[in-house]
Each structure stands twice: as structure tokens, then as C-alpha cells.
Amino acid sequence: MIDPIRHLLLFLVASLVIVALGVCFSERSDRAALRAFPRRFLTFVFGCALFSGIMLICEHTFAKV
């Protein structure tokens, strides 16, 4: 049971770094970057979850063995 939680935490840490670097390089000021960070982080995590869900549905539908 601990393994899925560990993987989720590692994913969130990696996502945090990816989004933080993206925000730092896309916004001119630190204030704008800090304001944009939560929205972009949630968008990134939601997009990854949606993509994972679609891939699991495709696997279940098309890759039956």
C-alpha cells in the first residue's frame, strides 16, 4: 500500500520542479511568477491525471490479452 503513495509523492515533487522552472522562465517578475504558480501546477497535475486516465482506458479497451 505504501508504494502507490510513494510514487504519487515523487510525481508531485517532480511536477513541482517542472512547473517552478517553467514559471520562472516564462514570467518577467517574481511576483507574477508566484501568482501564476498555483494555477499552472494544478493544470499540470490535472493534465497528467487526465492523460493517465485516458491511457488506462485505452489499455483496458484495446490491449486485452
Side-chain angles (χ1 to χ4, degrees):
M1 181 63 182
I2 196 79
D3 206 36
I5 294 170
R6 185 177 296 151
H7 284 111
L8 179 64
L9 289 175
L10 287 171
F11 167 74
L12 290 175
V13 169
S15 298
L16 187 79
V17 172
I18 291 168
V19 174
L21 287 174
V23 168
C24 287
F25 286 114
S26 67
E27 298 293 335
R28 288 188 173 266
S29 70
D30 291 341
R31 189 171 303 213
L34 287 174
R35 274 196 315 260
F37 180 79
R39 181 180 48 85
R40 289 188 184 189
F41 182 70
L42 289 176
T43 302
F44 183 82
V45 170
F46 178 74
C48 288
L50 182 64
F51 180 70
S52 296
I54 291 170
M55 292 301 295
L56 287 172
I57 290 170
C58 288
E59 177 189 15
H60 179 72
T61 304
F62 300 117
K64 288 186 178 181
V65 177

